[in-house]
Amino acid sequence: QVQLVQSGAEAAKPGASVKVSCKASGYTFSTYGISWVRQAPGQGLEWVGWITPYNGNMNYALKLQDRVTMTTDTSTSTVYMELRSLRSDDTAVYYCAREGRYCSGRNCDPPRHGMDVWGQGTMVTVSS
Amino acid sequence: QSVLTQPPSASGTPGQRVTISCSGSSSNIGNNYVHWYQHLPGTAPKLLIDRDTERPSGVPDRFSGSKSGTSASVAISGLRSEDEGDYYCAAWDDSLKNWVFGGGTKLTVL
């Protein structure tokens, strides 16, 4: 079945970096992108960014674009999200989610469907 | 402050019908699809309503979505105790080039 399996919980100090993985299975990896969504304690959902294995295109949330990098490894069907210069308000559960967008060449259209498959979530705790 | 506006809470008794609203603007709901997510305690969010009104496979027909202009809503009929959780609306925002979410509505089944 279609599945996204994320790496385990992370603890990091302010100013450090963290890298979370999301391994896809059960579908053709290159045909869907992956979005990352986070939820801080007691808060709502916040979109972090998106990447597609199809052409490497990415699209990051404005408030995080200076600190986040997403990459893909097509040999292992895995997507990575690295967040740098961590702050205490980055403490959150980070989810990866499958999200399709139509891409032609280097250009991708805005999404027309929601995120239909989600990983189990990875708790990232930033504390000194 | 979320770009999309939802009521923070909603409630109903078993069997009742409950509606949760979501208000946005022309750059998001007014020009793009709205999607709804159900987030139950201890689980990952689940796509509940896709593209304004479509139910993904496996979602009971007790759940329905609608949209008019820059507002959308999800209705839950025949309320059940297992529906208790948080509900989020989301839409693509053309100006921000971002997904935007509502702040979430906590549904309580009394």
Side-chain angles (χ1 to χ4, degrees), chain A residues 9-18 20 37-46 48 63-64 67 81 83-95 121-128:
Chain A
E10 299 270 4
K13 295 191 183 309
S17 299
V18 69
V20 181
V37 175
R38 69 181 184 178
Q39 184 177 36
Q43 303 298 310
L45 301 176
E46 179 186 24
V48 176
K63 66 176 280 190
L64 294 171
R67 299 193 293 125
M81 189 241 5
L83 190 58
R84 302 178 295 280
S85 302
L86 288 167
R87 309 191 293 238
S88 58
D89 62 357
D90 292 318
T91 294
V93 177
Y94 287 75
Y95 295 100
T122 297
M123 183 72 215
V124 173
T125 304
V126 183
S127 173
S128 55

Side-chain angles (χ1 to χ4, degrees), chain A residues 39 59 99 112-115, chain B residues 37 39 50-51 92 98-99:
Chain A
Q39 184 177 36
N59 169 210
E99 185 214 309
R112 296 180 66 76
H113 287 275
M115 303 168 207
Chain B
Y37 297 91
H39 194 188
D50 193 27
R51 304 210 305 176
W92 181 258
N98 256 21
W99 280 108

Side-chain angles (χ1 to χ4, degrees), chain A residues 35 37 39 43-47 59-63 95 99 101 110-116 118-121, chain B residues 32-33 35 37 39 43-47 50-51 54 86 88 92 94-104:
Chain A
S35 261
V37 175
Q39 184 177 36
Q43 303 298 310
L45 301 176
E46 179 186 24
W47 182 71
N59 169 210
Y60 299 148
L62 290 172
K63 66 176 280 190
Y95 295 100
E99 185 214 309
R101 298 185 195 183
R112 296 180 66 76
H113 287 275
M115 303 168 207
D116 65 343
W118 291 66
Q120 83 276 20
Chain B
N32 294 293
Y33 291 113
H35 316 278
Y37 297 91
H39 194 188
T43 69
K46 170 188 172 183
L47 181 62
D50 193 27
R51 304 210 305 176
E54 299 174 8
D86 297 320
Y88 294 90
W92 181 258
D94 292 327
S95 298
L96 297 173
K97 297 200 180 344
N98 256 21
W99 280 108
V100 290
F101 284 91

Side-chain angles (χ1 to χ4, degrees), chain A residues 69-99:
Chain A
T69 300
M70 296 177 186
T71 55
T72 66
D73 182 345
T74 54
S75 68
T76 60
S77 299
T78 302
V79 174
Y80 298 90
M81 189 241 5
E82 181 181 33
L83 190 58
R84 302 178 295 280
S85 302
L86 288 167
R87 309 191 293 238
S88 58
D89 62 357
D90 292 318
T91 294
V93 177
Y94 287 75
Y95 295 100
C96 62
R98 191 177 77 164
E99 185 214 309

